[in-house]
Amino acid sequence: MNTLGIIFSDMQDWNMTELASHRSVAAIPFGGRYRLIDFPLSNMVNSGMNKICIITKSNYRSLMEHVGSGKDWDLSRKKGGILIFPPYAVGENHGLFQGRLDALKRVLDYISSSKEKYVVMSDCDMIYNINYKDVIRYHEEKNSDITAIYTTTQIEKNSSVHKIIYEFDKDGRADDILVYPVTSGTHNVGLSTWVMNKDFLESIIYDAIARNYKDFSYDVLAKKVHSLRIYGYKYNGYFAHIDSLQSYYDHSLGLLKKENLQSLFYSKTGPIYTKTKDSAPTKYMQGANVKNSLIASGCVIEGTVENSIIFRGVKIGKNASVKNSIIMQHGVIGENASLDSIITDTYAQVTNNRVLLGYANCPFFIKKFSVV
């Protein structure tokens, strides 16, 4: 496929201080064995794209460990493959980039030297399963400058401030774009993914350099909605927007619904790939009782697990009870401990006989390496 993929690892990290305090948004664990980067990466690979770059901002060590050479996504290649851009300064641009256009300015040489005709740009905070071939076909049919992928959904005021909302005419061309508005109701919500011709992307980067523009959403989408041909491609499948600890909790437990799980992981558009770890199957010891939960490999379960997500290498002690909770990799839950509506980060430990209680609308978060 004649398309270059550009993934931004943490364009919205300010929204998720708990989960992204020591890792990029792209490296946030999700669904028992995945990271958020797995979803845009798999979408691009399943669409036949074999040249992808990841633009990072900070705390990218765990992301680099997870992606590695890209072999788990068939991207370990002599030509093309995957390339991770750590933040670096070019010319007068010093310090961390201050917006999507500012980030693109710094990799302009890489973009210009690429031979691909099209570019797909994606963030990591939107989870969905799509084939970009259909989007590019629509992009060509409409002769678009920019094609934005969106879905129509109900939103609330507290989450609308993290979203881009589109209004389209009868032909599907955008006639108004609201960036991070305060609103509610049913709207066309952008999925933080855009398709455009590579030559056009270069032209808006040069224009951004000349005018000192830094933000793609405000300075290109909203400001030039009437002068550019911006069209919307509607996506109708399952999607999740991870923009806060609460949305992370809600969408994680939402995977326990069969229809969500099948739509995301068993879609006809292709599987979701992740880093392969050759861990042993989970051991269910005498007294183990598991209901409606996702359990990854390498765990040891001796207690009760109900309506929960258990990542790789977790140990649930004898007579312990874990309900409505998310236990990330290598967590340890002690004997007779009781957890309800809890999120534990990686390597967190809950000691014997502890009772921890959060609420469905306010889950309690335990930091990485913490001992409670």
Side-chain angles (χ1 to χ4, degrees):
M1 192 178 185
N2 193 16
T3 305
L4 170 67
I6 300 177
I7 298 175
F8 299 88
S9 70
D10 42 5
M11 197 56 69
Q12 289 85 17
D13 56 351
W14 60 85
N15 298 329
M16 293 175 274
T17 53
E18 301 94 341
L19 295 165
S21 62
H22 58 277
R23 62 168 73 90
S24 66
V25 171
I28 292 176
F30 185 78
R33 58 195 296 263
Y34 300 90
R35 305 276 182 146
L36 296 190
I37 186 71
D38 294 335
F39 297 92
L41 259 186
S42 298
N43 287 338
M44 291 181 179
V45 170
N46 290 333
S47 303
M49 299 166 61
N50 54 30
K51 185 175 182 179
I52 299 169
C53 74
I54 302 173
I55 299 177
T56 65
K57 187 176 183 181
S58 59
N59 298 329
Y60 48 84
R61 181 186 60 81
S62 60
L63 174 63
M64 295 183 73
E65 286 181 353
H66 181 73
V67 174
S69 65
K71 66 180 180 63
D72 292 299
W73 296 266
D74 193 24
L75 289 171
S76 180
R77 297 165 180 250
K78 292 181 178 178
K79 294 183 178 179
I82 198 162
L83 180 63
I84 297 178
F85 281 103
Y88 63 92
V90 175
E92 75 282 4
N93 299 308
H94 299 289
L96 297 176
F97 61 77
Q98 298 177 33
R100 199 180 307 276
L101 283 177
D102 195 21
L104 290 169
K105 291 176 191 174
R106 306 180 189 214
V107 297
L108 178 57
D109 289 346
Y110 173 79
I111 295 172
S112 298
S113 64
S114 298
K115 306 298 182 184
E116 284 71 17
K117 182 178 181 181
Y118 302 105
V119 175
V120 174
M121 297 197 312
S122 177
D123 289 347
C124 293
D125 57 335
M126 293 283 186
I127 296 172
Y128 60 107
N129 193 328
I130 192 172
N131 192 317
Y132 292 123
K133 290 180 181 177
D134 298 332
V135 186
I136 291 174
R137 193 176 301 117
Y138 178 85
H139 177 78
E140 291 177 328
E141 290 173 358
K142 293 296 184 183
N143 191 27
S144 303
D145 292 321
I146 300 172
T147 298
I149 301 175
Y150 75 97
T151 191
T152 303
T153 188
Q154 185 84 16
I155 58 174
E156 304 296 332
K157 284 185 178 180
N158 60 348
S159 64
S160 68
V161 295
H162 301 150
K163 292 177 171 59
I164 298 176
I165 293 176
Y166 296 83
E167 294 183 10
F168 301 104
D169 63 18
K170 292 181 180 178
D171 190 41
R173 182 173 177 174
D175 55 17
D176 197 10
I177 298 176
L178 304 176
V179 180
Y180 312 139
V182 179
T183 186
S184 61
T186 301
H187 292 281
N188 298 320
V189 176
L191 298 183
S192 300
T193 306
W194 303 272
V195 174
M196 61 194 83
N197 288 45
K198 194 204 75 169
D199 292 343
F200 178 78
L201 176 60
E202 287 181 86
S203 71
I204 63 174
I205 295 173
Y206 285 125
D207 186 61
I209 293 172
R211 302 175 189 276
N212 196 28
Y213 290 164
K214 298 183 184 298
D215 192 283
F216 178 75
S217 303
Y218 285 111
D219 295 327
V220 177
L221 294 179
K223 189 174 290 184
K224 300 183 178 182
V225 62
H226 297 298
S227 59
L228 297 179
R229 294 176 58 84
I230 302 174
Y231 280 80
Y233 178 89
K234 188 172 184 178
Y235 170 77
N236 293 311
Y238 168 83
F239 90 102
H241 185 193
I242 309 298
D243 63 344
S244 65
L245 184 67
Q246 183 66 51
S247 67
Y248 175 81
Y249 178 79
D250 292 340
H251 289 305
S252 293
L253 296 190
L255 293 179
L256 300 178
K257 295 181 179 179
K258 186 177 180 181
E259 60 271 23
N260 292 343
L261 195 70
Q262 289 185 330
S263 178
L264 184 59
F265 293 105
Y266 301 99
S267 170
K268 293 180 180 178
T269 54
I272 303 298
Y273 302 100
T274 189
K275 183 178 181 180
T276 301
K277 294 185 178 179
D278 299 322
S279 51
T282 287
K283 292 182 180 178
Y284 297 92
M285 310 301 285
Q286 187 174 9
N289 183 14
V290 178
K291 296 180 181 177
N292 191 38
S293 298
L294 292 179
I295 311 291
S297 58
C299 300
V300 179
I301 311 292
E302 294 186 85
T304 296
V305 179
E306 186 174 344
N307 300 326
S308 296
I309 310 289
I310 308 298
F311 283 73
R312 290 165 167 155
V314 169
K315 295 181 179 179
I316 308 292
K318 191 174 182 181
N319 295 323
S321 174
V322 178
K323 296 182 179 179
N324 310 309
S325 296
I326 301 165
I327 311 299
M328 294 188 193
Q329 300 95 307
H330 306 293
V332 177
I333 310 301
E335 295 182 359
N336 302 306
S338 178
L339 281 67
D340 194 342
S341 303
I342 304 295
I343 302 172
T344 67
D345 208 331
T346 54
Y347 295 96
Q349 181 177 350
V350 178
T351 55
N352 295 346
N353 304 309
R354 289 289 186 183
V355 177
L356 302 177
L357 178 62
Y359 295 92
N361 62 354
C362 187
F364 185 70
F365 181 78
I366 298 176
K367 294 180 180 179
K368 185 177 182 179
F369 290 121
S370 295
V371 178
V372 178

